[in-house]
Amino acid sequence: MAVLRRMLHKAKSPTEGKGGERRPFFKRRSSTEQEVTPSGPRGPEERPMSPVSGPGVEGVDGHDGRRRISFLKRSRGKTEPALDTATADVGVGKEPLSVLQILQLVKARELVLADSHIIELEGECEKSGGRQCEAHTDSGRKVKDVALLYKELEAELAAIVRGSLADPGTTSHLGQLALTIEQEEKADRERDSRGREPGELRQKWRQAVKDSVSERLSAAQTEGNAAIDRRLGSLGDQTVTDLIAVWKKVAVGYPREFEAFSVYVRSYHEAVASSLAQIAQQEMDIQQLYTFLEWTYCLYFREVLGHEELTAHISKQHLGPLLPADTLQTLEDNCVSMVKARVTKQMKKELDVEQERWRQESKVFHSELANRIIQLLKEDIERSSAISEGLESRIAKCGLQCLADFLQSFQGSVLELYDQFADYTARMECVVPQTVAVVNCCPAFRDYIERLIQKYSSDEQELKRKMMGALDKVERRGVNLLTDKLFSELKPHFAKLLRKKWLQSSEGFEAAIATIREHFNQFHKMKTPPYQTLVDGAHRRVVTEYLRPLMHGRVSCTSQEMRTRLALRLNEDSWKLQELFHSLQSTMTWLDLAIGHLAEIIALKETSCIQMEVGVLVSSYPDVCKHHISAVLDIRGDLSPTTKQLILECLQELDAHDGSSSLARDRALFTEIDQATAINCLGFGGTSTPGCLTQCLQALRQRANRSR
């Protein structure tokens, strides 16, 4: 600016040369000073004031609608005639404008005319030696003047760009800007070498667009420490507003070949990317990070570039990502780490709350623990699903690992609770509610694990087995605890079965039925499938406990009448048990006929009929053995050893059938019954068969295992 002030001073008070002659600002080849006059005749009264004062520029006016330069009225694609008209006014024999006059043309935004004089001045520099003759005073000054004028021209160009963005209605000078750029490029083509890079002014224009866009978006983000969601919202709103204005008002001021809208779109895209890169360096909590990633991955492309007024005019695929891949990877890694830490901490807190509820001996049959844990995982998975599939999958796998660790802690805490219940250190009225509440958490966990594994991590079978194993232990121990509690109360009633008083009164059996119903009124609050496991297991165990005294020979008939009464009573009890467990939704219907078959074996008179019924029993219950049948035959009290042996001879093939070796464990009934002490009751010469010996050993092992 000091140079400009000196130039202005010289223009107002030119120094006098020798002999009193006034020296022009620059010496020219012309021997006389000539003025740049307007083309065509014009009277003095018609000449408006020129924005450039001083000698030689009376006809230059940037605001006269009748000026001779018609480049703004030309059609796009016809730049050469307009350029020729502009340069024709400065004749070959006319004195070129001074630097100050050219500068004032720039300030008046007569850019095409100003640039034509700069090009002419630059040509004179080249002819006089250019940069190689900078030691010479005039040549060196001219080079500096050209550089200064170009700098001012570029500054005015940038100001026009800024102004068109700030006020899209003021775009009248964009045509001048475009013509100036085209004029510079024409000069590039006409000269082999210049002091500037070819196409430099167009690049400066693009840079001016970038700088202007960057300034606007920076100002739009309010304070730098504002909440990230507000910064991103302001960034998106400003971008949408500006691009709509550019499309409707600014881009139309440029020639089509400039592809101005694409230049602006790319500039806004790069400015947004720069802003995001700055935000990415900040410390963010998990919610801020989710907001940032969602905006970067989705909202920007959907709501900004995909705005209904812009989407048809923007090619998103040519813009590229907003942030580098390594930056996005780092942000995602941070997100996963933060989710893992937060979820793990929250899960521990939820388990602590549940344990406190246990200590308060809650009698509520429901627990929200599973729902709270699952919701905790769902929040992050659903949040990440709005960002990208890759991040969603990573968060889901992270959640699975957190859940696996939690279930190990959950299992340990629950087993400790069960041990307290088993030792009766807790009040018994809270045992059933708390056990049911804990077991009811397992189906929800199991279902959620299955869905996560299937959708996100089908190859994580080892992790799945680990989690399912923990849930299996919780369910199995809970079901066993409740079953044991039930049968501890049923034990006195079962002790009265198959005795003489039992034949006379059903009081003991009815008491057992009432106890089962009472307990299952509470057990029924357990969810399926653990409830199904409980009721099916209870059904089989009730039938087993009912048959046990029969196999032990607790009663022995002395007459046909007693056998008939015994068989009738067995059938009555069998029907009552069927009705009971059908109402409790047991699926173990294969147990229904076991007691009835034994009643028939006791009641039948004909040996052949007994043999047939034994065959039916064995076909229905393959785990029944000879010693079981022998014990039932002994209850009759009327069979001789010979008859008994005759009945059993038809079952010789059972010797090769060693107990329940070929029977599914869930269909075993008689192998659960303790064997009678007298194994040699089969009557084969007083010696037990190998099959019966094996059964005896199995029974002894089972009894030993239960006693541990």
Side-chain angles (χ1 to χ4, degrees), residues 531-542:
Y531 171 79
Q532 198 64 58
T533 302
L534 175 62
V535 69
D536 289 349
H539 188 180
R540 179 160 59 179
R541 188 165 173 181
V542 165

Side-chain angles (χ1 to χ4, degrees), residues 397-497:
K397 291 180 180 179
C398 172
L400 276 172
Q401 186 60 58
C402 292
L403 182 58
D405 296 338
F406 167 79
L407 290 179
Q408 295 302 309
S409 300
F410 175 67
Q411 172 195 322
S413 300
V414 170
L415 295 186
E416 289 180 6
L417 178 68
Y418 289 164
D419 290 340
Q420 294 176 13
F421 291 161
D423 294 338
Y424 301 103
T425 58
R427 294 172 59 186
M428 291 306 297
E429 56 265 28
C430 70
V431 171
V432 174
Q434 288 193 7
T435 302
V436 170
V438 167
V439 171
N440 277 346
C441 293
C442 296
F445 280 132
R446 197 183 301 276
D447 178 66
Y448 190 64
I449 291 169
E450 288 284 1
R451 285 188 282 117
L452 284 186
I453 290 288
Q454 181 179 4
K455 184 174 182 180
Y456 300 107
S457 189
S458 58
D459 57 335
E460 295 286 350
Q461 295 304 313
E462 184 60 33
L463 185 63
K464 178 181 177 181
R465 282 192 292 271
K466 179 181 177 182
M467 291 187 285
M468 294 302 187
L471 295 175
D472 287 342
K473 288 182 180 179
V474 171
E475 285 182 346
R476 185 168 58 252
R477 285 285 300 274
V479 167
N480 290 343
L481 178 66
L482 296 179
T483 303
D484 290 343
K485 184 179 184 301
L486 169 63
F487 280 90
S488 68
E489 298 188 27
L490 286 176
K491 187 175 181 180
H493 304 306
F494 281 128
K496 299 176 182 179
L497 301 180

Side-chain angles (χ1 to χ4, degrees), residues 396-679:
K397 291 180 180 179
C398 172
L400 276 172
Q401 186 60 58
C402 292
L403 182 58
D405 296 338
F406 167 79
L407 290 179
Q408 295 302 309
S409 300
F410 175 67
Q411 172 195 322
S413 300
V414 170
L415 295 186
E416 289 180 6
L417 178 68
Y418 289 164
D419 290 340
Q420 294 176 13
F421 291 161
D423 294 338
Y424 301 103
T425 58
R427 294 172 59 186
M428 291 306 297
E429 56 265 28
C430 70
V431 171
V432 174
Q434 288 193 7
T435 302
V436 170
V438 167
V439 171
N440 277 346
C441 293
C442 296
F445 280 132
R446 197 183 301 276
D447 178 66
Y448 190 64
I449 291 169
E450 288 284 1
R451 285 188 282 117
L452 284 186
I453 290 288
Q454 181 179 4
K455 184 174 182 180
Y456 300 107
S457 189
S458 58
D459 57 335
E460 295 286 350
Q461 295 304 313
E462 184 60 33
L463 185 63
K464 178 181 177 181
R465 282 192 292 271
K466 179 181 177 182
M467 291 187 285
M468 294 302 187
L471 295 175
D472 287 342
K473 288 182 180 179
V474 171
E475 285 182 346
R476 185 168 58 252
R477 285 285 300 274
V479 167
N480 290 343
L481 178 66
L482 296 179
T483 303
D484 290 343
K485 184 179 184 301
L486 169 63
F487 280 90
S488 68
E489 298 188 27
L490 286 176
K491 187 175 181 180
H493 304 306
F494 281 128
K496 299 176 182 179
L497 301 180
L498 292 171
R499 297 184 185 277
K500 289 183 179 181
K501 290 184 178 181
W502 167 73
L503 285 174
Q504 298 171 0
S505 172
S506 62
E507 181 180 351
F509 183 77
E510 292 296 340
I513 294 293
T515 300
I516 294 172
R517 287 190 184 278
E518 179 183 356
H519 278 73
F520 269 91
N521 284 338
Q522 295 182 315
F523 296 166
H524 200 70
K525 296 177 182 178
M526 185 181 291
K527 294 180 180 179
T528 302
Y531 171 79
Q532 198 64 58
T533 302
L534 175 62
V535 69
D536 289 349
H539 188 180
R540 179 160 59 179
R541 188 165 173 181
V542 165
V543 174
T544 300
E545 294 299 328
Y546 187 94
L547 293 177
R548 194 182 306 281
L550 196 65
M551 296 296 102
H552 287 176
R554 184 179 291 178
V555 64
S556 179
C557 298
T558 57
S559 64
Q560 181 61 37
E561 180 184 357
M562 188 175 179
R563 286 191 290 275
T564 302
R565 287 174 56 197
L566 176 60
L568 180 61
R569 187 58 191 276
L570 289 172
N571 280 321
E572 288 178 355
D573 289 352
S574 176
W575 279 108
K576 289 179 181 179
L577 289 176
Q578 290 181 45
E579 180 183 357
L580 170 66
F581 283 102
H582 287 177
S583 68
L584 298 179
Q585 301 176 344
S586 171
T587 61
M588 308 290 276
T589 55
W590 59 276
L591 294 169
D592 292 345
L593 301 179
I595 299 174
H597 285 314
L598 296 179
E600 289 298 313
I601 292 174
I602 293 172
L604 291 172
K605 299 177 181 179
E606 298 293 333
T607 301
S608 59
C609 293
I610 296 173
Q611 288 176 322
M612 291 179 62
E613 191 63 34
V614 168
V616 173
L617 175 66
V618 173
S619 64
S620 299
Y621 302 94
D623 66 326
V624 68
C625 293
K626 293 178 182 179
H627 58 274
H628 297 132
I629 298 172
S630 178
V632 176
L633 295 178
D634 286 341
I635 292 173
R636 291 177 59 92
D638 65 337
L639 297 178
S640 64
T642 304
T643 304
K644 186 177 176 181
Q645 181 177 351
L646 182 63
I647 293 172
L648 294 173
E649 280 181 351
C650 66
L651 304 174
Q652 288 297 324
E653 65 276 9
L654 292 179
D655 285 338
H657 177 70
D658 191 9
S660 59
S661 58
S662 61
L663 182 68
R665 184 177 180 83
D666 60 350
R667 295 297 297 267
L669 173 61
F670 288 90
T671 52
E672 300 293 327
I673 302 173
D674 291 337
Q675 311 304 321
T677 304
I679 303 300

Side-chain angles (χ1 to χ4, degrees), residues 214-409:
S214 180
E215 289 175 9
R216 288 184 63 78
L217 294 189
S218 296
Q221 296 177 63
T222 64
E223 301 84 8
N225 58 353
I228 288 177
D229 56 343
R230 293 205 305 271
R231 288 188 64 183
L232 294 175
S234 300
L235 190 66
D237 292 344
Q238 188 67 55
T239 301
V240 169
T241 301
D242 284 1
L243 284 180
I244 292 175
V246 168
W247 171 255
K248 291 182 176 180
K249 299 179 180 180
V250 177
V252 296
Y254 291 94
R256 182 175 301 176
E257 57 270 17
F258 268 59
E259 298 182 345
F261 186 66
S262 296
V263 173
Y264 278 88
V265 168
R266 184 169 295 278
S267 297
Y268 272 95
H269 185 75
E270 292 174 358
V272 169
S274 178
S275 298
L276 294 181
Q278 294 177 5
I279 298 175
Q281 301 302 316
Q282 301 178 10
E283 292 291 334
M284 291 182 275
D285 60 31
I286 184 61
Q287 296 304 328
Q288 291 174 329
L289 188 52
Y290 275 140
T291 299
F292 180 80
L293 289 174
E294 182 180 8
W295 201 91
T296 303
Y297 274 109
C298 304
L299 296 183
Y300 170 73
F301 292 96
R302 184 169 66 241
E303 298 181 2
V304 178
L305 299 185
H307 190 275
E308 59 182 358
E309 295 190 52
L310 298 174
T311 185
H313 315 300
I314 297 176
S315 299
K316 302 176 187 177
Q317 63 272 19
H318 295 149
L319 295 176
L322 285 171
L323 291 174
D326 56 343
T327 301
L328 292 174
Q329 183 66 39
T330 299
L331 292 173
E332 289 188 12
D333 292 343
N334 293 342
C335 183
V336 173
S337 299
M338 294 167 69
V339 167
K340 183 175 182 179
R342 183 176 67 89
V343 168
T344 300
K345 180 180 179 180
Q346 192 63 32
M347 283 180 170
K348 184 180 183 302
K349 181 179 178 181
E350 294 292 350
L351 184 56
D352 291 342
V353 171
E354 189 71 10
Q355 288 176 313
E356 181 60 29
R357 192 177 74 90
W358 298 342
R359 284 189 288 269
Q360 294 174 359
E361 298 183 347
S362 170
K363 300 179 181 63
V364 179
F365 286 82
H366 178 69
S367 170
E368 285 292 329
L369 177 64
N371 292 336
R372 292 195 300 268
I373 295 297
I374 291 172
Q375 184 60 35
L376 190 64
L377 296 174
K378 277 184 175 180
E379 288 175 1
D380 287 293
I381 294 175
E382 290 175 357
R383 194 75 172 83
S384 60
S385 67
I387 298 173
S388 70
E389 291 184 1
L391 182 60
E392 178 188 7
S393 178
R394 292 187 65 187
I395 293 296
K397 291 180 180 179
C398 172
L400 276 172
Q401 186 60 58
C402 292
L403 182 58
D405 296 338
F406 167 79
L407 290 179
Q408 295 302 309
S409 300

